[in-house]
Amino acid sequence: MEKDIREDIAWAKINGDVLKSLENPRKLYWVIIALALAAFGVGVACEVYQYNTGMGVANLDNPHVWGLYIATFIFWIGMSHSGTLLSAILHLMHADWRKPIYRFAEAMTTFSLMTAGLFVLVHIGRLWQFYYSLPYPNERGIWPNFQSPLLWDAMAIFTYLSSSVIFLYVGMIPDLAICRDHLHPGWRKKLYTLLSLGWEGTDRQWRNFRVTYLTVACFLIPLAVSVHSIVASDFAMSQQPGWHVTSFAPYFVAGALYSGCAAIITLFIILRYVFKFEEYMTLPILKKTVRLTFAIAMVWTYLNAIEFASVWYGHDVASKDVLIQKMVGPYAYAWWGMIFCGSIVPLVLAFKRFQTNIPVLLVISLLLNLGMWLERWMIVSPTFSHGYYPWTWDHDQWPSWVQWGMVFGSFGWFTLLFMIFCKVFPSVSMYEVKEMVYHRSLHSKKGDTAEQGAH
Amino acid sequence: MHRIFHLSVFLIGLFSAATVYAADASQSAPMTPDSQWPLVEQPIEFPHNRHAKDMQIDCMYCHTYARRSAVAGIPPLQKCIGCHQSIESVRESPRIKTLFEYWEGSEDGKIAAKTPMPWKKVHDLPDFVRFNHERHIKRFIEQQNRPTQEVCGYCHGDVAELTVARRSKALSMGWCASCHEKEHPVTAAGGTPIGDQAYWYGFYKSEADAAGGDLKAHGPNDCWQCHK
Amino acid sequence: MMDSGFDRRDFLKVLGWGGAAVALSGCGNTSVEDGKETVVSYSEPADYVIPSIGVYYNSTCAQCDAGCSINGRVREGRVLKLEGNPNSTVNRGKMCGLGQAGVQHHYNPDRVREPLLRTGNQGQTISWEDAYKLIAEKTQGVSGDQIAFLSGGVSGHLKVLLGNYLDSLSCKNHFVYEAIAPGVARAANKKSYGVAMPRFSINKAKVVLSFGADFLGSWVSPVHFSQQYAQFRKGVDGQRGVLVQVEPKMTLTGANADRWVAIRPGTEGVLALGIINALGTATGDIAAAVKAYDRDRVSEETGVPAGQIDKIAAMLKLHSPSLVLAGSAAEGYEHGSQNAAAINLLNHVLGNVGKTVEMTEDMPFPQMSPETGNTAALTSLNNGLAASKYKVLFNFAANPVFTASGAMNFKENMAKADFKVAFAHYLDETALQADLVLPLDSPLEDWGTQVPEYLATCAQINIQQPLMEKLHANTRGMGDILLSMLKQRQPDDYNGYEDYYGYLRSAVLSVKDALGGASVDDETFWNRTLSGGIIKFEGSVNKLSANASAAGLKLPSHSEAGGDYPLRLIPGVTASMRDGRHANQPWLQESPDPLTTIVWDSWVEIHPKKAAELSIAEGDIVEVTSKTGSIKAQAYLFPGIHPEAISVPLGRGHEAMGRYAKGYGVNPFQILDAVFDKETGELAMHETRVKISKTGQRVIVVKDEGAAGGQQMGKKIAVRVSSDDVDLSEEV
Amino acid sequence: MSQRHILALFSNFDEAEAVISELRSANIDGFNFDDLTLKSPIEHHEVEEVLGDRSARVQWFTLGGALMGGLLGFWLISGAQANFFAQMKGGKPIVPLPPNFILTYEMFILGGVYISILGFLICAGLPAKRSPLYSTTVSEDQIGILVKAEESAIAKIKSVFLSHEALEIQEEAGK
Amino acid sequence: MSVTNLLDDWAKFRHPHPVDDKPHDPYKWAMAIDLDACSGCNACSVACYAENNIPVVGKDKFLHGQSMHWMRIERYWDEDGRDFPDQGVQFLPMMCQQCEAAPCETVCPVAATNHTSDGLNSQIYNRCIGSRYCSANCPFKVRYFNWYDYPTTDDVWPAEMTQQLNPDVSVRGKGVMEKCTFCVQRLHEAKVVAKGEGRIVREGEVQTACQQVCPTNAISFGNLMDPDAKVHQQWQAQQVELDKDKQAKDENEGGSELRGYRILEELRPYPSVMYLERVRESAI
C-alpha cells in the first residue's frame, strides 16, 4: 500500500513548492485565463442583448417559462457541495488525506456559488428591479414573499456563500502568515500582512483556531444539505407533475455531491499538472477521491431509480406521463444521455486500473459533469412541455443561442475566478500538509520501534 | 482585547437593533417631513394663494371634477374667463393678459383662439399608480365633513400659501400607507365593509355588529386598489 | 350617460386628456415625475364630459351588413371600445369578434389619408376640389351608360343619395356586388316563400336541420342567430333543441351540432328529398317527385348512412316545429337553386312555414331598404368591362380585384376603363388599380343610416354617428362626397344642405311622423334618435306564400369526381375573415380560427384518411391546382371534412392593404373556376375541382393548439354529457 | 524592575516540550509561567497540554450567535408578514409557520457562523500587533518559545534554553 | 407596528382560507361558463384584447408560443377514433381561474400576485420582477409573460392605434407577467360608485368584457355572495361549493343530473370559475 504522501518531505520544501505556485505564472496559465475571458465575454454579450431586447430572445415561451438558466443554476449550486464535503465532513471524520486538496475544493465551492448567483440574475425578467426581492425596510412599506421557495433559495445561498467564504478565509490565515513571512516585499506581501491579521501561530491562536474551525465545520454540513434541499423545494414545493416529488431533497443533495466530486477530479488533474503539485496531489489521494465519487454515483443512481419507481407505481397519471415523455419524447436523447453519463460511465471507476489513470479519469470526470448537467435540464424542461394542461403542451423548446451562450460564458467566469484565486492564494494548505506529514511520520516511527521491540 | 470585545458588543447591539427596526413595518413607511420639491415652470404663475386664501374660493370650485371622478382636473379655460372677464381691476395685469391670449388668440396669431393652456403636471404619480380623488373626497369631506382645504392638503400641502402649486409630500407608497393604516372611523351604516377588507370582515363582523356598525378600521390595503 | 346629441361636433373637437403616450409608458419608472408631463385641459367642455369617465354613444356596426347596433365607449375624445347596444333587436347588446375589431378599422395605421391621383405608378396627393373637378370633367363627355358604379350592399340615405347621383349622370349601371352573399338563397326563398329573406326563428324550433348554413359564424346575421341559438339550446319548455348540420366541411355551426353529417358535396338536395321521402307525409306532386329518392339510393348518392337518414326523419317527425335552413354549402353549385328549392320544400312539408319561417315586416320606405349585393352583378360588370363598354368606373365598398374568380381576369378588364375612381379606406388591390383614390372616413367618424337586410322583429333604421373627431383631416364621408358631387350637378337642389349631416337630419325629420315621432318636436325626436341609435317602427306584414310544389325540381344525379381534378375545393368562409375586407385588423389575424386554431396564415384542410393516402402530413406545403390556377399553402389534417373535398379559407392572401394583411396566406378566389348557378347566374363557389400535390417543403403550423393536438389526454377538462343525463329545466 | 522578552527556537516538539516542562517545574522568581508563549508552524496537542489548561471559549459565542440569529430571524419574518400590506396567498395563513421555520433555520446558521468568527477574533486576540520577538522560521518548520521575565530571571531561562540545544536565541535589547 | 399586529392578531394571521367559518363578505367575484351555449366564436377573446390592452404579437412570436391572449378558446376533438367528429367538437374558453388557493400566489418571490379581499387573484405588474415562478406553478397555464417590450415593438401599437389603449389598464412593459383580471378596472369603477352611495355593487351593474360581448350569453359573472346574482344561483343549482374539492356531482357517479364542474379540482386550487358540461342529444 503506497503512501498518500511522502513523510520525509522537508517542511521548508512544502512552503517552497506551494509558494512557487504563487509566482511567475507559466504560459499555459495565461492561455487558460485568456480562454476563460473569451468565454465569459460571450456570456456577457448574450446577457446585454437579452437585457435590451427582452427574455424572448432566449426562445422561452408560455408556458415553457424556465430553461437552461435554472438548470445550469442548479448545476453550479450542486457543484459547490464538494468543497464542504471535503473540508467539513471529512474533517470531522479525521480523514487526513483530504488535507492537500481541500483548499481548492473550498475555493470551488465559493466560486461555483458566485456563478450560480449570476444565473438567478440573468433569469429574471426585470433585472433592474431585482432589489424588490431583498428583505430590507423600504419606502414602499412592503416585503418580499417569505413563502416563496425562491426567496428561501436566496437566503440559503447567501448564508452558504458568506459562510464558506469565511470558512475558506479562516482556514487560510496560517498559510497567509507563511506567505507574509516568506515572500519578497511587494503588493502581495502587503496584502498577506493585512489578511493574516498578525498571526504568529501562538498556542492561544492555535487553540481557538481549532475550536472555531470545528464549530464552523459543524454548521456548514447541515447548511450545505439545507441549501440543496431548498433548491430541490423550488420544484418539490410546486404542484407540477414530475416536480412534486418527495424524494427530491435527498436526490438533489446526492446529485450535488456527485457533480462536486466529479468536478474535484477534473480540477485535481488540472492543478496537479498546471502547478506541478505531483508531490501533494498524489495518485493515492486521487484514488480515494475516485472511490468516494463512485460510491456517491451509486447512491445517486439508486435515488434516481426509486424516484422513477415511485412515480411508475404511483397513481399520479400526470407525472407518469411526464416520465414517459422524458424517455420517449423530444427530450429522450438528453434523458438517456443523462442515464448513460450518470449511471453507466461511473462503473468504469470500479476498476482499480482506471482509478489512477489520469487521462481516463479526466474524460470520465467531464462525462460525469455532463451527465449531471443533463440531469438538471431533464428536471426542469420536460415538466413544462408536458404539464397538467394538454392544450399548452408545446413542441420541443430548443434553447436559443442566447441561452447556450450564457451557459458557456458561466464556465469562463468560473475558470477565471478559480485561476486567479490559485495565483493569489495558496491552493494547497501548507500548514495542514505539514501536520499530515508530521503525524504520519510519528505514526510510522512508532511502527518502527514496535518492530525493533520484536527482535 | 477589550477594544475588540466592546466592538463586538456594539456590533451585536447594532444587528439586533436593525432587525427590530426592520421587523417593525411602520418604520418602513417613513413619513418624510414636508419639504419643498423643485418649482415647476408654468405658462403663467397662477396665484393659488390669491384664490384660495384671499378670495376663500373652495378648491373644488375650479378643480370641479375631483368629487365626480378619479382625476381632479385642471380647470377648463372657460372657467377662468368666466370670472375674469367681469373682473376689470386685474384685466390688464400681464398674467391675465396671457390668459386671454389663450382664449381669444394672440395678436401675432401664434396662439389660436381657445387653445388650452399647456400646464405642467405637478403631482404626477407613476403611470401604474391610480389615485382616486372622488373616493377620498367622499370619505373625508362628505362623510366626515372636514374642511376642503385641509383634506386636499393631506396630499397637496398647504396650497393656500403658494402661487403655483408645488409638491410638498413624499407621495411614495409607504407614505400613502402611513395614512391608510391609520384607524379611521368606518360608518358601516353605509354598508361599507370594514375598510373594504373582506378577508378581515369575518373577524371584525362581530365587533362591528356589537358597535352598531360604528367602529374604526384601517383603509384598503389590497394592491389592486391602486395598481391595475 | 347617453349624449344629448347637442353640439356634437364641438364636443368632438376637444382635446384628449393625457393621451395614450401616458398609457404607453406602462410600468416603467417608479419615481414620482413632476413637471415633465403636460396636462391639456378642455377649453370648453360640455358639462356631461368628465375626465376619466367614459361617455357612451350609440351607433351602428359597419364591419358587416347584419346591422348590429353598437355602443361606443369614448374617453377624453377617443373611442376605446365598442359594446353592443342592448336596445337593438338584432344583437341585443351583444357583438362578434369582427365587430369588436371595428376600432382597429378606425385606428388602422394604413388608412388612406389624402386624395391620390395616379401619375404613372405613383399616387400623387391632390386636393378635394381638384378631385371633384376631375370627376366632373371625366363624367362630362361620356354618356350615362358608359359609366359604371360598382358598390357593396348599400341602404338607407346613402343609397338614396347614390341613386340620385347616378340619375344625375343618367347612369343605370349600378352594380351591387358582395363576394359572399346568399344570392341563390334569396332567389330560392322568393320562389318558395315569396320573400327573399324571411325571418328564421331558430329559438322557436325544437329541431334545426341546417344544410351548411353557418348561422353561428358568418351566415346573414350571426350575432342575432347566436342568441336565438342560445335560447334554442335552453329549449322551449325545458326541451333542449337539437341541431343537425349537414355539410361537406365542418363550419363553426357544424362544430356545435348534436349531429354533424358529412355529405358528399353537391348532393344536399338529394338528401332533402330523401328525407321528405322518408317522412312519408308528403302528398301530391311532391310525393311523386320524391318517390324515386328511396333511402338506399339517397344514401348511396350522398354518402350519408341510411340509418342516419331515418334517424333524422324520425327526429323531425317527432319534434315540431322544426326548421330547415339552406346555406351556402348547399348553394354553391350549378344546380344550387335546385338544392335550395328542395331544401325549402322540406320546410313546407314539415309545416314550418309560418311557424319558424315567418314573414318579415316590409320597409315602408323602399328607396331606403337595402340593395343587397350578389356575384352575378360582378359577372355582368366584368363582361361589360371586357367589351370596354365603360369609360368611367366608380368603386365603393368592394374589392373585386381581390375577390373576383381568377377565371374572370377582372384586373385586366378593369384596366380597359379610361378613368377609375375608388372610394377607399385603404389602398387595397382594387384601389391600386384606380386612377383616383378618394379617402373615406371610418364608420366611427361618419354619419349615416343603415337598414339591415335581415330584420329581426320590426322594421328599423339604424343610425350611424361619429364617436370621435376625425383622425385624419383630409378624409371624407361617402355621404359628404356624394353630396358635393351632386352639388356640382344640381346646385339648386342640394346647396340647401350644409353637409351630409344636415341632409340626414332634415331627411329623417321630414318623415318623422311615419317614424313614430308624431307626438314630439323635431329637436327632441332627433336627439332621441341619436341617443337611441335605432329608429324602430311598425311596417306592414303580409303572409308568406305557401307555394309548396316540386314543379320543375330536378337534381342532377351525382357525378363521380375524377379525372385530372379528383377533389372539390370548398372555399372556407370564416367568421372573422369573411371575404377579406378586414384582413388588415391585427386582432382578427391573431384570433385563432375556432376549428383549426391557426393564426396569421392560410391552410388547406384535408381529411386525415385522404392525407394518409397522399402521404401528406401537417405542415406540408401543398400545391392546390384547379383549371384556373394554383396556390401553395400549408396542409392541416382536419377530420371535419369530406374525404372527397379540401377546404381553403377565404380572406387572406392580400397583395396590398397594409402591413397586417399584405403577404399573409393565400387567396383561393384566384383559383375558383368561373362556373355559375344555372338559374341565378351566381358564381358556383363549390364547383371548382382541384388536384393537390406536395411541394416537399414543410413548415411548423402557427396555431394555438398545443402538441397534444386537441386531445384531453384523459383529463377532465372539457366535459360532455348525453342529453339523457341532465335535466335542464332545473337550471337557472 | 523592567521586564524583557526572550525567544528561543527549537527544531522539534520534543525539545520544546522538555523546555516548557522544565521552566514550569523550576519556578524561577521574576518569571511567571503564564508569560510563556509557544509559537509553532502547526497545532500540537502534547505541547499545549504541557502548557496546562489554557481554555478556548469560542463555542459560547457560537451558541449565543446561533440563538440570536434564529430568534431575530423568526421575529423579522413573521413581523414583516404581518405588516399593513398583509395579503392572503394561496389559501395559506398570512403567517405560515413551515416556511418561516425554514428561514429561521438559515438565520440560525448564519448567526452561528458569523458570531463564532467574531468570537474567534476576540479570543485569539486577532488582529494583533506583532509581538516584540518573532522569527519567520516559526511559520516554516521551527518551534519558538517566547518568554517575558524580569532581568534577573533572563539568565536562568537562557541557560535552560541552551541546555536543550536551542537553535537560536533572540533577546530584547536591555534598557 | 407589524410586530404589535402580530401580537394582538396572532389568531387572525394564522387563519387558512378558504374555509366556511370565515366566508367572503360582501364580495366574491365568480364566473359560470355554460359550455352547451358556448359556440367557440372567439368574440370574448377579441373583446379581451380590446379591453385590456393586450399586444398583438404577430406571426413569428406566436409561432414561438409567445402569444398573449388572456382568454383562449380551446378546441377538443372526440377521442373515439371515428372517421368524422359527428358529434361536433368541444370548445372551452380558458382564462385565469382566479383560484381561492392559487398555486401561483405562494411562490412569487416578491409577492406580486396575491389573493384580494374580494376573491380575485391579483397581479401587480409594477411589482413583478419576472421570475416566472407563478406561471411555472399554474396548473392551467393561463399566465402570459411579456417576452418582449411590446409597447416599443413595431406594428404592435403603431401611431394611431395607441389611442385605442384603455387608460384604466396599465400597458405592460417587457419582463412582467400578466393574466386575466376579471376586468378588475370595471369592478373597481362599479365599487367606487356603489361605495359612494353606501351600498354594495348590485347584480348587473358590472360585466366583464368577455361576458358583455358573448353572443350566446354563455358567460355569467357576478358576486357569488349576492343571492340575486345569476352566478350565485347557477352555482347553487349545480351544487358546486367554493371551498370543496369534491362536489355533490362527484359523490354519486353518473346518477346526478348536474352539469357543473371545475377544472383540475382535484389539485385543490378552488377555482372561481364553474363550467357547465356541454350536452349532446343522444337520440340522433
Side-chain angles (χ1 to χ4, degrees), chain C residues 245-266:
Chain C
Q245 183 87 353
V246 181
E247 59 193 4
K249 173 237 184 305
M250 182 181 273
T251 58
L252 186 60
T253 314
N256 286 285
D258 293 276
R259 178 64 61 184
W260 179 77
V261 181
I263 186 171
R264 178 171 290 123

Side-chain angles (χ1 to χ4, degrees), chain C residues 206-284:
Chain C
K206 293 199 169 65
V207 182
V208 169
L209 172 59
S210 154
F211 290 85
D214 184 14
F215 57 85
L216 293 177
S218 56
W219 191 66
V220 182
S221 191
V223 180
H224 178 69
F225 289 136
S226 296
Q227 294 185 323
Q228 290 196 338
Y229 168 79
Q231 300 168 11
F232 156 84
R233 281 309 197 188
K234 291 271 163 294
V236 202
D237 52 60
Q239 191 206 338
R240 179 173 174 280
V242 181
L243 170 61
V244 180
Q245 183 87 353
V246 181
E247 59 193 4
K249 173 237 184 305
M250 182 181 273
T251 58
L252 186 60
T253 314
N256 286 285
D258 293 276
R259 178 64 61 184
W260 179 77
V261 181
I263 186 171
R264 178 171 290 123
T267 60
E268 289 80 0
V270 177
L271 180 61
L273 297 184
I275 293 173
I276 298 179
N277 185 335
L279 283 167
T281 54
T283 53

Side-chain angles (χ1 to χ4, degrees), chain E residues 54-261:
Chain E
I54 300 176
V56 166
V57 299
K59 191 177 177 183
D60 300 351
K61 298 192 174 96
F62 205 108
L63 169 63
H64 286 292
Q66 293 161 339
S67 57
M68 302 296 287
H69 46 43
W70 287 1
M71 182 140 196
R72 58 173 189 248
I73 303 293
E74 295 166 5
R75 186 268 294 116
Y76 294 104
W77 297 112
D78 290 351
E79 293 169 40
D80 50 16
R82 277 176 295 187
D83 281 3
F84 297 116
D86 51 7
Q87 287 195 303
V89 307
Q90 310 231 59
F91 290 113
L92 181 92
M94 176 46 84
M95 83 307 290
C96 173
Q97 303 284 297
Q98 311 288 351
C99 309
E100 277 297 294
C104 53
E105 288 165 358
T106 44
V107 296
C108 173
V110 293
T113 178
N114 305 298
H115 195 66
T116 68
S117 49
D118 45 6
L120 297 177
N121 168 240
S122 68
Q123 174 69 30
I124 312 305
Y125 308 125
N126 47 300
R127 176 67 174 172
C128 177
I129 62 171
S131 76
R132 312 195 283 292
Y133 202 166
C134 51
S135 169
N137 204 21
C138 171
F140 309 95
K141 300 299 178 200
V142 284
R143 294 177 145 264
Y144 298 91
F145 186 72
N146 283 270
W147 295 107
Y148 295 90
D149 194 35
Y150 292 112
T152 59
T153 309
D154 302 346
D155 298 348
V156 174
W157 287 297
E160 293 90 354
M161 285 214 180
T162 56
Q163 296 191 36
Q164 184 273 329
L165 292 168
N166 183 351
D168 298 338
V169 179
S170 313
V171 174
R172 285 77 61 185
K174 77 179 161 200
V176 297
M177 190 60 76
E178 61 184 67
K179 66 166 190 71
C180 164
T181 63
F182 271 2
C183 289
V184 64
Q185 66 280 8
R186 293 180 173 207
L187 302 182
H188 191 259
E189 209 176 326
K191 271 180 165 181
V192 168
V193 173
K195 260 182 149 184
E197 300 168 12
R199 55 176 179 83
I200 67 167
V201 176
R202 298 196 196 91
E203 167 72 351
E205 278 184 332
V206 59
Q207 286 180 303
T208 61
C210 49
Q211 172 196 21
Q212 188 167 13
V213 77
C214 178
T216 57
N217 294 309
I219 304 175
S220 48
F221 168 87
N223 179 2
L224 200 56
M225 293 295 116
D226 171 5
D228 311 339
K230 184 180 175 207
V231 68
H232 170 93
Q233 293 157 357
Q234 279 176 307
W235 280 57
Q236 230 170 21
Q238 298 298 337
Q239 300 174 35
V240 175
E241 291 183 51
L242 193 63
D243 52 7
K244 292 231 162 44
D245 57 7
K246 221 170 184 333
Q247 308 296 352
K249 187 180 189 333
D250 314 319
E251 304 301 336
N252 44 0
E253 268 315 322
S256 83
E257 297 199 319
L258 304 169
R259 298 199 287 143
Y261 71 102

Side-chain angles (χ1 to χ4, degrees), chain B residues 1-227:
Chain B
M1 168 66 194
H2 273 287
R3 182 165 45 81
I4 300 170
F5 184 74
H6 291 146
L7 178 73
S8 65
V9 173
F10 172 72
L11 283 177
I12 298 176
L14 205 65
F15 178 54
S16 26
T19 325
V20 178
Y21 170 83
D24 197 334
S26 69
Q27 298 294 332
S28 63
M31 278 292 294
T32 25
D34 291 10
S35 48
Q36 292 292 305
W37 261 255
L39 202 56
V40 176
E41 190 57 41
Q42 300 285 18
I44 61 173
E45 193 195 18
F46 178 85
H48 275 97
N49 49 4
R50 190 75 57 78
H51 294 76
K53 191 145 136 244
D54 310 352
M55 312 283 168
Q56 282 300 318
I57 301 174
D58 184 293
C59 307
M60 280 190 290
Y61 178 79
C62 299
H63 299 281
T64 163
Y65 301 121
R67 66 173 173 282
R68 293 183 293 171
S69 104
V71 300
I74 303 294
L77 203 48
Q78 202 180 16
K79 196 144 225 142
C80 317
I81 302 300
C83 301
H84 273 279
Q85 64 198 5
S86 57
I87 308 173
E88 289 309 326
S89 54
V90 292
R91 185 69 179 76
E92 288 312 310
S93 74
R95 288 193 297 224
I96 305 299
K97 274 229 192 71
T98 358
L99 180 67
F100 274 86
E101 274 190 345
Y102 277 93
W103 181 252
E104 291 155 350
S106 57
E107 288 77 1
D108 56 10
K110 280 206 181 64
I111 306 170
K114 296 187 180 171
T115 315
M117 284 209 150
W119 297 108
K120 289 262 181 294
K121 253 187 171 180
V122 172
H123 295 83
D124 185 6
L125 294 173
D127 298 319
F128 49 74
V129 183
R130 289 180 166 70
F131 175 85
N132 189 324
H133 283 83
E134 183 186 0
R135 272 313 298 154
H136 291 83
I137 284 171
K138 280 234 158 61
R139 189 90 155 78
F140 295 115
I141 300 182
E142 294 179 15
Q143 282 183 5
Q144 296 172 15
N145 317 318
R146 304 188 194 175
T148 311
Q149 276 195 17
E150 174 196 330
V151 173
C152 300
Y154 294 155
C155 305
H156 294 287
D158 190 357
V159 179
E161 295 306 323
L162 300 170
T163 55
V164 292
R166 189 169 180 180
R167 200 174 119 223
S168 63
K169 304 287 184 184
L171 301 190
S172 72
M173 180 167 169
W175 178 82
C176 298
S178 67
C179 189
H180 269 238
E181 68 189 335
K182 285 202 195 107
E183 300 271 304
H184 295 288
V186 174
T187 49
T192 20
I194 309 308
D196 198 12
Q197 283 291 288
Y199 169 67
W200 301 113
Y201 195 68
F203 301 109
Y204 286 120
K205 205 169 188 329
S206 48
E207 308 167 28
D209 301 344
D214 177 28
L215 79 163
K216 289 168 172 285
H218 60 65
N221 78 342
D222 100 51
C223 313
W224 254 351
Q225 284 293 334
C226 316
H227 305 293

Side-chain angles (χ1 to χ4, degrees), chain A residues 206-241:
Chain A
W206 276 119
R207 225 180 300 113
N208 291 292
F209 180 83
R210 189 170 63 238
V211 181
T212 314
Y213 202 78
L214 199 67
T215 33
V216 177
C218 296
F219 271 105
L220 270 189
I221 296 162
L223 176 57
V225 174
S226 77
V227 167
H228 222 58
S229 20
I230 284 177
V231 173
S233 62
D234 284 349
F235 302 91
M237 291 280 167
S238 86
Q239 249 188 344
Q240 298 304 306

Side-chain angles (χ1 to χ4, degrees), chain D residues 80-143:
Chain D
Q81 283 163 330
N83 80 346
F84 171 64
F85 287 112
Q87 304 275 316
M88 293 283 301
K89 286 182 201 71
K92 307 279 185 293
I94 284 173
V95 180
L97 295 181
N100 294 12
F101 287 152
I102 292 179
L103 293 172
T104 308
Y105 177 77
E106 296 299 328
M107 296 294 280
F108 174 84
I109 291 178
L110 192 66
V113 172
Y114 279 28
I115 301 302
S116 29
I117 297 305
L118 193 69
F120 165 64
L121 294 180
I122 293 168
C123 301
L126 294 175
K129 293 204 200 61
R130 305 300 297 277
S131 55
L133 294 174
Y134 177 72
S135 158
T136 59
T137 55
V138 169
S139 64
E140 191 167 304
D141 55 0
Q142 301 186 353
I143 298 97

Side-chain angles (χ1 to χ4, degrees), chain C residues 460-520:
Chain C
Q460 72 183 57
I461 299 177
N462 296 334
I463 301 294
Q464 174 190 322
Q465 61 180 317
L467 300 182
M468 69 180 279
E469 85 182 289
K470 283 188 184 187
L471 271 182
H472 311 298
N474 254 346
T475 57
R476 296 272 186 282
M478 190 61 192
D480 285 304
I481 297 174
L482 286 170
L483 197 63
S484 358
M485 295 200 294
L486 273 164
K487 281 180 182 172
Q488 285 177 336
R489 306 194 72 83
Q490 305 160 350
D492 31 5
D493 303 358
Y494 288 94
N495 282 345
Y497 306 111
E498 184 213 345
D499 54 9
Y500 185 51
Y501 170 73
Y503 172 81
L504 218 54
R505 191 166 190 275
S506 52
V508 169
L509 291 178
S510 63
V511 290
K512 152 160 155 292
D513 302 7
L515 299 176
S519 52
V520 294

